[in-house]
């Protein structure tokens, strides 16, 4: 699980996506494309990685999908990393 999350966080575009989602509390792919300046297909690939790591989820909002931070899994990831780094002392 730790490796999956670390991999998802390892790309600067994904960090930008997460930051926008945290700042806006929600995002649509089109908003991410405009804000970050990457193509829609590239943003979609990064969203897929973040979803597979369970850091975000998508919910249908008409013809579009609204993406949000998965707060529960975000907290679990925080605990996991915290535990890992504490173990390294």
């Amino acid at each position: 699980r730790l490796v999956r999350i670390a991999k998802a966080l390892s790309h600067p575009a994904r960090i930008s996506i997460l930051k926008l989602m945290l700042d806006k509390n929600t995002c649509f792919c089109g908003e991410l494309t405009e804000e970050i300046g990457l193509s829609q297909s590239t943003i979609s690939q990064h969203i897929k990685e973040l979803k597979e790591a369970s850091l975000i989820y998508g919910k249908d909002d008409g013809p579009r999908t609204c993406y949000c931070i998965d707060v529960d899994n975000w907290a679990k990831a925080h605990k996991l990393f915290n535990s890992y780094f504490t173990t390294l002392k």
Side-chain angles (χ1 to χ4, degrees):
R1 176 118 174 97
L2 180 66
V3 171
R4 182 76 197 119
I5 295 167
K7 181 184 176 202
L9 296 173
S10 69
H11 197 285
R14 292 184 206 129
I15 298 297
S16 295
I17 289 168
L18 289 169
K19 175 137 178 42
L20 278 170
M21 287 182 181
L22 287 166
D23 289 347
K24 293 186 175 207
N25 219 17
T26 186
C27 278
F28 293 100
C29 195
E31 292 174 328
L32 295 167
T33 301
E34 290 174 22
E35 292 279 337
I36 296 173
L38 297 173
S39 70
Q40 188 273 329
S41 62
T42 300
I43 293 289
S44 292
Q45 284 296 324
H46 289 304
I47 285 173
K48 179 183 174 195
E49 288 289 329
L50 293 168
K51 284 174 62 178
E52 286 178 358
S54 300
L55 295 173
I56 66 171
Y57 66 92
K59 57 184 174 183
D60 292 332
D61 186 19
R64 306 185 305 173
T65 302
C66 177
Y67 295 99
C68 302
I69 298 290
D70 188 320
V71 177
D72 292 335
N73 284 333
W74 192 262
K76 289 176 187 174
H78 181 265
K79 282 184 179 181
L80 190 61
F81 273 97
N82 194 37
S83 174
Y84 177 74
F85 286 116
T86 301
T87 304
L88 292 176
K89 286 185 181 179

